Amino acid sequence: MDKTWWKEAVVYQIYPRSFMDSNGDGIGDIQGIISRLDYLKYLGIDVIWLSPVYQSPNDDNGYDISDYQAIMDEFGTMEDFDELLEKAHGRGIRIVMDLVVNHTSDEHKWFIESRKSMNNPYRDYYIWRKGKDSQTPPNNWGACFGGSAWQYDEETAMYYLHLFSRKQPDLNWDNPNVRKEIFDMMTWWCDKGIDGFRMDVISMISKTSEMPDGEVNGLYGDFGPFCVHGPNVHKYLQEMNEKVLSKYDIMTVGETAGVTPEQAKLYAGENAHELNMVFQFEHVESDGKYGKWTDQKMPLTTLKKIMSHWQTELYDKAWNSLFWDNHDQPRAVSRFGDDRPQYREISAKMLATCLHMLQGTPYIYQGEELGMTNYPFKNPGDFRDIESINAYQEWCVDGPIPHDAFWPCLTFKSRDNARTPVQWDDSAQAGFTAGTPWIAVNPNYKEINAKAETANPDSVFHYYKKLIALRKQNPIMVYGKYEALLEDCEELFAYTRTYQNEKLLIVCSFCDHETVFTIPEEFLDMPCLISNTGQEYDRKEITLEAYEAFVLHKK
Ligand code: TEU
Ligand code: CA
């Protein structure tokens, strides 16, 4: 397995709208990111994955792009971006951009042209179909953000496909002109010196030509079998690799919801000539009571089975990406850990240990290094995210689900949990803005903030900093072979990593009570690489306190 910088890196995801506001308008921006580069350098991360900063009407907070080669007014200017790139590189930090090319905004010039007439040169940049009539779409597919996946357009009396919001029309990747435009745009960004792409819903860019009704699940049919891992997806990614990616020393990660390890080897196999790695979502997209909406945590044995499967299936064949959360998911410590005050910090450190000791490139979502938690939403007006707003409307207002039944599920899984402002200090608005933030700051910012944590050597922040430093000192953390232990245990996630003549033992308690663990013979009296309690592991029978995690290192 060849060694590369993106296999050894730790990636930090920035959601610009919520990271840092520099001009008091309550919206994070690029100058705000620049002002926090020293904080990121101190943490020790190697790569920033920058969620979209391109021109956008913000129907989906920048994942609806109206100009791929201009910066969103609210975030600043292209000069600001160039300054960010230069100052990040000056600190040895690479910048990976978010590439959103399954769809554009409906305010993109291509779509404005496409909808004008049937014979407009841009007509086939998008996916248009005749409906059965102006009230009946071409099929029963549902969009991810609610409603039909088809929008009727008066001008030409046809429907266009949008798998997300109606302001996010899907591009027609079967059109070679679309592919050329995208590849030229990607080349333009690579020539600016960026260091790679995170590719939004890249597994959806190829659709089947036939578009029949899907299996009904709730109010609409499922588009999955016709739009995910479609017939030409690998052909188009190989073309992208040949025409753009292969020409630069860059990192690529595909967002491939619904991907299996077998498919992941096609997208990101060591010799696949497509992408370097993919995000799998088996551990975060568990079905809930109401589609994705649930207030239930995943049983530990289920989580371990999923993580182990990916660790063993991809080993030596493809590269894993590792994450607990991102801008679409609830906060890790609330979902996988325990955000009650007495357990928040120790369980956040346990989760960090569990993830960063696995095989693959770890991703830290902004604020995860502080142990930031879900937000205490009180009413639907607290939400900003189109997905959450539409879900409440569809399930509760228009639909039959009582508020009291749906509310715990919506507030537990809402993407807005991850989009509240980063908590920098205990001053007003947590030091995120001098103005009124676009979304409320979590009231626990007085206890949970970067200023307090960077000053406290026992903080979650310093624990992440130590894990990142250990990765640089120990190749076994990057390249070691994973083996699961105690697979049926509902309380402990334990595994080993083996590399040349070294071995690591990783033991993480996912429960809120004491447990016991017997140290295997070969690890007795071996040094402790890191622990979230600091106890000695110098005997065979260890009693672990709630959410305790430790790593022993056999050299
Ligand atoms: O997310 C795609 C996606 O699958 C998400 O909609 C996810 O399934 C859901 O939000 C969580 O259950 C990408 C981006 O990460 C997301 O922010 C965008 O809204 C979406 O694509 C459309 O661009
Ligand atoms: Ca701002």
Side-chain angles (χ1 to χ4, degrees):
M1 183 193 316
D2 58 348
K3 299 192 172 187
T4 64
W5 61 265
W6 44 265
K7 289 182 178 176
E8 299 169 2
V10 174
V11 183
Y12 186 94
Q13 183 194 353
I14 290 180
Y15 191 71
R17 199 168 194 82
S18 309
F19 188 68
M20 179 65 200
D21 171 24
S22 70
N23 63 353
D25 66 357
I27 297 168
D29 47 52
I30 290 174
Q31 281 298 334
I33 298 171
I34 291 170
S35 74
R36 298 293 181 183
L37 283 175
D38 286 335
Y39 166 83
L40 296 175
K41 184 67 192 163
Y42 182 53
L43 176 59
I45 55 103
D46 308 289
V47 180
I48 291 170
W49 154 22
L50 188 58
S51 274
V53 293
Y54 321 98
Q55 195 61 274
S56 164
N58 284 308
D59 190 56
D60 184 17
N61 286 351
Y63 282 90
D64 50 314
I65 295 165
S66 53
D67 185 339
Y68 287 103
Q69 291 169 247
I71 300 298
M72 186 190 303
D73 297 336
E74 292 173 325
F75 288 166
T77 63
M78 190 56 81
E79 291 67 34
D80 291 326
F81 177 83
D82 293 340
E83 185 186 347
L84 168 63
L85 189 62
E86 183 202 352
K87 290 186 171 171
H89 284 173
R91 289 168 174 78
I93 295 174
R94 291 177 160 102
I95 300 261
V96 163
M97 303 292 280
D98 209 315
L99 184 75
V100 187
V101 291
N102 171 70
H103 48 270
T104 69
S105 164
D106 66 346
E107 299 179 29
H108 194 289
K109 63 177 186 301
W110 297 340
F111 190 73
I112 292 166
E113 286 301 314
S114 177
R115 71 194 314 180
K116 276 181 183 168
S117 69
M118 307 286 278
N119 56 13
N120 185 290
Y122 289 89
R123 184 66 177 182
D124 283 346
Y125 272 47
Y126 296 87
I127 298 168
W128 295 92
R129 291 290 187 282
K130 273 246 170 275
K132 288 144 188 151
D133 57 47
S134 66
Q135 304 303 316
T136 317
N139 63 33
N140 68 356
W141 296 354
C144 288
F145 299 153
S148 165
W150 297 93
Q151 176 62 33
Y152 185 70
D153 206 50
E154 292 282 345
E155 196 66 33
T156 57
M158 286 183 77
Y159 288 80
Y160 65 85
L161 179 66
H162 62 87
L163 299 180
F164 292 93
S165 88
R166 60 172 60 96
K167 283 182 68 64
Q168 292 170 291
D170 281 59
L171 281 165
N172 170 19
W173 271 75
D174 294 334
N175 182 340
N177 297 330
V178 166
R179 300 200 300 273
K180 180 174 183 332
E181 298 255 24
I182 299 292
F183 299 159
D184 288 350
M185 174 271 289
M186 291 175 70
T187 299
W188 185 84
W189 280 103
C190 289
D191 286 344
K192 277 179 82 71
I194 64 160
D195 302 288
F197 297 102
R198 174 267 186 184
M199 300 189 188
D200 192 63
V201 291
I202 201 68
S203 52
M204 296 185 185
I205 59 174
S206 166
K207 279 79 169 173
T208 53
S209 48
E210 297 303 312
M211 296 190 158
D213 278 354
E215 191 182 316
V216 177
N217 176 5
L219 300 173
Y220 293 92
D222 176 14
F223 62 71
F226 316 101
C227 301
V228 185
H229 315 311
N232 294 316
V233 69
H234 296 293
K235 179 181 160 209
Y236 297 157
L237 285 176
Q238 283 158 27
E239 184 186 353
M240 180 193 285
N241 187 294
E242 188 246 323
K243 291 184 177 168
V244 187
L245 307 179
S246 59
K247 300 178 187 318
Y248 302 90
D249 176 20
I250 57 173
M251 169 187 134
T252 53
V253 52
E255 186 205 29
T256 49
V259 74
T260 63
E262 275 323 300
Q263 291 163 331
K265 290 175 206 167
L266 299 176
Y267 284 107
E270 290 283 331
N271 307 308
H273 303 295
E274 292 184 23
L275 305 177
N276 297 141
M277 60 189 114
V278 293
F279 288 131
Q280 62 86 14
F281 290 83
E282 284 184 42
H283 62 311
V284 292
E285 297 276 338
S286 55
D287 281 346
K289 295 176 191 167
Y290 312 107
K292 65 168 268 188
W293 308 105
T294 180
D295 58 356
Q296 299 303 307
K297 293 190 176 184
M298 180 181 275
L300 180 62
T301 42
T302 308
L303 177 64
K304 295 196 303 184
K305 192 157 166 281
I306 291 167
M307 302 306 268
S308 291
H309 188 224
W310 280 89
Q311 290 285 300
T312 47
E313 282 295 308
L314 295 198
Y315 184 72
D316 228 8
K317 299 199 183 66
W319 197 254
N320 271 295
S321 65
L322 305 168
F323 70 96
W324 290 130
D325 58 16
N326 59 36
H327 65 292
D328 292 333
Q329 302 296 334
R331 286 281 177 184
V333 72
S334 299
R335 181 194 204 160
F336 294 109
D338 188 330
D339 59 13
R340 288 175 290 179
Q342 68 270 40
Y343 296 125
R344 182 185 62 81
E345 289 187 280
I346 191 166
S347 73
K349 293 174 184 176
M350 178 279 292
L351 290 173
T353 311
C354 184
L355 192 79
H356 283 248
M357 288 294 162
L358 287 171
Q359 193 280 320
T361 298
Y363 289 71
I364 299 170
Y365 178 64
Q366 65 180 40
E368 178 189 334
E369 81 281 6
L370 299 174
M372 280 177 64
T373 68
N374 271 6
Y375 181 87
F377 296 107
K378 292 284 177 292
N379 56 63
D382 291 343
F383 292 122
R384 298 290 177 275
D385 175 23
I386 184 168
E387 185 189 48
S388 299
I389 292 165
N390 289 359
Y392 186 75
Q393 184 71 27
E394 191 166 285
W395 289 91
C396 282
V397 180
D398 303 342
I401 310 300
H403 170 92
D404 292 350
F406 190 65
W407 190 248
C409 302
L410 180 63
T411 55
F412 182 62
K413 291 282 308 277
S414 172
R415 304 193 300 181
D416 275 336
N417 282 302
R419 301 177 180 189
T420 64
V422 172
Q423 293 158 201
W424 293 106
D425 57 42
D426 61 0
S427 71
Q429 305 302 355
F432 163 73
T433 177
T436 305
W438 69 280
I439 185 170
V441 170
N442 196 313
N444 63 22
Y445 74 92
K446 288 204 178 293
E447 300 82 46
I448 304 171
N449 64 70
K451 183 182 175 193
E453 294 200 31
T454 47
N456 169 11
D458 292 332
S459 62
V460 177
F461 174 89
H462 277 286
Y463 197 88
Y464 268 87
K465 181 172 163 59
K466 184 173 179 186
L467 279 170
I468 295 166
L470 283 174
R471 178 172 292 270
K472 304 225 173 328
Q473 300 147 12
N474 295 279
I476 186 172
M477 283 177 69
V478 180
Y479 297 108
K481 183 173 168 43
Y482 168 95
E483 281 181 76
L485 300 175
L486 302 176
E487 281 131 303
D488 299 332
C489 177
E490 269 300 350
E491 296 170 314
L492 300 178
F493 191 150
Y495 59 90
T496 61
R497 300 285 303 281
T498 305
Y499 184 67
Q500 295 170 354
N501 61 344
E502 292 182 55
K503 210 162 174 179
L504 294 177
L505 168 68
I506 298 93
V507 183
C508 299
S509 165
F510 274 71
C511 61
D512 63 358
H513 52 265
E514 277 190 355
T515 53
V516 290
F517 179 79
T518 304
I519 305 270
E521 202 67 29
E522 65 178 321
F523 284 100
L524 282 176
D525 303 322
M526 290 299 150
C528 174
L529 194 63
I530 191 168
S531 156
N532 64 355
T533 63
Q535 80 153 302
E536 293 300 317
Y537 302 93
D538 54 2
R539 60 207 176 284
K540 198 170 173 56
E541 298 300 324
I542 298 288
T543 300
L544 297 173
E545 63 178 276
Y547 302 110
E548 180 163 351
F550 67 93
V551 180
L552 300 185
H553 190 185
K554 179 185 143 201
K555 282 194 177 184

